[in-house]
Amino acid sequence: MAAKQVVPRSAMVVAALWMSGALFSFTAMAVGGRELTGALSTFQILFFRSVIGLFVVSLLMWRTGWHQVRTPQLGLHFVRNLAHFGGQFGWFYGLAFIPLAEVFALEFTVPIWTALLAALILRERITVQRVTAIGFGMVGLIIILRPGFQVIHPAALAVLAGAVGYALSHTLTRKLALHDTPLTILFYMTVLQLPMGLIPALSSWQIPALELWPWLGVVGVAALTAHYCMARALKVAEATVVVTLDFLRLPLVAIVGALLYQEPLDLLVLVGAAVMLFGNWINLRK
């Protein structure tokens, strides 16, 4: 039987600090995405996000050394970014059609898929506590979607599929972070995902209006800082533990959605997310 991996308390504190940076970055990216979705296609948003990100990462590489670009894991980077691009597409697509809180709540199924994928790919143990978290997560998902009681919006299913992509991306990020620097991971994220967004965007291409460029900048920079913080957190703690800390985003984005877009607070969405959080709290406490 494999020895149980214990995350030191100091590592948990460091991971929590890095994840707080990711929390604010993801929230800023959600607001920027909501402002852009009415004017640009999802593929265009993802393309410009990669362009801005590549510019910023190139500046950082210039300061810290381009030797970081060399990696023996190029194939793994490609698979990771294919999964991440799918996750981003589902996320931004959902921002255009359903409330911010529901997008984030559905995205909180990521720990469910991460626990399963981490066990398969990273050989992390599936403990009783993690099985409990998965069970509560599935119950929370049913409460949010309410199948059979209301029509499930296709955008909600897109966000849910994107959550699976995010889970695979997070799991592979931990595997990559054992050998590559966070900047290396971000560099290949922008380089590989740039053509993934550009090619399909060409069919409906339009030049963004002047007032959209600040929001494109917010999305591009926030995407980098969010994933830089995530990569640093994943370097010191297990994937399933780090993603659990991400639940703090829901109350923040619910407040932002209510203040900026007059989105009503759906009680069942909050209840479903709370059920997921309780299951993952059990896992985190252990």
Side-chain angles (χ1 to χ4, degrees):
M1 181 179 296
K4 182 177 179 180
Q5 182 176 352
V6 179
V7 181
R9 185 176 298 274
S10 59
M12 287 291 296
V13 172
V14 173
L17 290 174
W18 281 115
M19 284 305 297
S20 66
L23 182 154
F24 289 108
S25 298
F26 280 126
T27 303
M29 189 165 59
V31 173
R34 171 60 66 84
E35 295 295 324
L36 293 170
T37 50
L40 300 177
S41 71
T42 302
F43 287 118
Q44 268 197 287
I45 295 172
L46 294 178
F47 166 71
F48 283 109
R49 184 215 61 173
S50 295
V51 170
I52 296 170
L54 182 58
F55 174 75
V56 175
V57 171
S58 296
L59 290 178
L60 295 173
M61 283 286 193
W62 180 72
R63 289 180 61 86
T64 59
W66 283 94
H67 63 278
Q68 299 173 78
V69 172
R70 291 191 292 269
T71 176
Q73 305 183 96
L74 190 57
L76 194 59
H77 276 284
F78 178 79
V79 175
R80 184 258 177 193
N81 282 289
L82 194 62
H84 183 262
F85 186 84
Q88 286 275 270
F89 181 87
W91 196 74
F92 277 105
Y93 183 80
L95 288 176
F97 298 102
I98 59 179
L100 296 181
E102 186 173 349
V103 171
F104 278 51
L106 290 172
E107 189 189 351
F108 288 162
T109 59
V110 169
I112 301 173
W113 318 121
T114 301
L116 297 173
L117 292 172
L120 292 172
I121 298 173
L122 303 181
R123 298 293 186 264
E124 292 184 4
R125 292 183 61 199
I126 292 290
T127 62
V128 173
Q129 289 74 25
R130 287 179 183 172
V131 171
T132 302
I134 292 171
F136 275 100
M138 295 305 297
V139 172
L141 176 62
I142 292 172
I143 293 174
I144 293 169
L145 292 180
R146 284 158 270 178
F149 294 92
Q150 66 173 14
V151 177
I152 299 176
H153 198 292
L157 297 179
V159 175
L160 189 59
V164 179
Y166 275 138
L168 179 56
S169 170
H170 293 336
T171 304
L172 295 180
T173 298
R174 176 158 173 79
K175 193 173 181 67
L176 288 168
L178 296 175
H179 305 284
D180 292 339
T181 67
L183 269 181
T184 304
I185 295 171
L186 291 176
F187 175 79
Y188 283 106
M189 183 183 79
T190 56
V191 168
L192 293 174
Q193 292 190 35
L194 192 151
M196 294 179 190
L198 175 61
I199 294 173
L202 292 175
S203 62
S204 58
W205 184 263
Q206 57 179 314
I207 301 299
L210 186 62
E211 62 269 17
L212 296 179
W213 284 100
W215 291 115
L216 286 170
V218 169
V219 169
V221 173
L224 280 181
T225 55
H227 291 95
Y228 181 82
C229 292
M230 181 74 76
R232 292 301 298 263
L234 287 166
K235 203 171 181 68
V236 297
E238 286 188 1
T240 45
V241 172
V242 169
V243 176
T244 300
L245 299 173
D246 200 28
F247 272 92
L248 294 174
R249 275 195 286 157
L250 183 60
L252 178 60
V253 80
I255 294 171
V256 169
L259 293 177
L260 297 184
Y261 305 109
Q262 292 74 53
E263 294 178 353
L265 295 178
D266 189 327
L267 180 60
L268 287 180
V269 169
L270 298 178
V271 170
V275 171
M276 294 182 189
L277 176 58
F278 179 72
N280 281 277
W281 175 79
I282 294 174
N283 177 36
L284 181 60
R285 183 172 178 270
K286 181 63 177 180

